[in-house]
Amino acid sequence: MQRLIDAFINSVRAFRKLAAHEKAFQQELLLLALALPAGWFISVSWSGYALLIGAVLLLIMVEVLNTGIEAACDAISREFHIDIQLAKDCGSLAVLISIAIAGGVWAIAIIERLTGAPI
């Protein structure tokens, strides 16, 4: 049980640090705050709502992992290194893919709401 408590404390510390200092994380938290009520009106079912919010949470999760990759790379060296650049670029690509997934899920939900027919 102590491991779970320690993990929770570590997670809260990371959340506070990211919320205070990482602009992308702050923007995605704002997006989540907007998505919670918007998704309620856009979705046509509980599962649809869960999918909309899950897509935003996936985006936030990938952003957290990307920030972790960047922090680890910076801890190793701040000088240019081709492998470090690749690691950081891959993290950035993962965020871009998650943005495309979230955008696609929301676009489909909005189209379904506007047309009244499932896609």
Side-chain angles (χ1 to χ4, degrees):
M1 190 64 165
Q2 187 60 44
R3 288 178 52 193
L4 289 175
I5 293 168
D6 292 343
F8 178 78
I9 291 168
N10 294 340
S11 298
V12 169
R13 184 176 57 239
F15 181 89
R16 285 181 179 162
K17 174 117 179 165
L18 293 176
H21 301 289
E22 289 293 326
K23 199 65 163 169
F25 188 73
Q26 293 166 353
Q27 291 169 345
E28 289 158 2
L29 286 179
L30 177 61
L31 179 64
L32 178 62
L34 296 172
L36 288 168
W40 179 256
F41 293 106
I42 293 170
S43 66
V44 294
S45 67
W46 281 104
S47 59
Y49 181 72
L51 185 61
L52 289 172
I53 301 309
V56 176
L57 290 173
L58 173 73
L59 170 59
I60 292 171
M61 181 180 67
V62 174
E63 183 64 49
V64 168
L65 294 171
N66 181 47
T67 302
I69 290 168
E70 290 178 354
C73 289
D74 289 345
I76 293 168
S77 175
R78 292 202 180 258
E79 294 180 17
F80 177 80
H81 193 282
I82 192 73
D83 293 330
I84 289 176
Q85 179 186 24
L86 178 59
K88 288 183 172 188
D89 288 350
C90 287
S92 180
L93 175 60
V95 171
L96 180 62
I97 291 168
S98 66
I99 289 170
I101 291 169
V105 167
W106 277 80
I108 289 169
I110 290 169
I111 292 169
E112 283 183 347
R113 172 55 80 183
L114 293 176
T115 62
I119 294 178

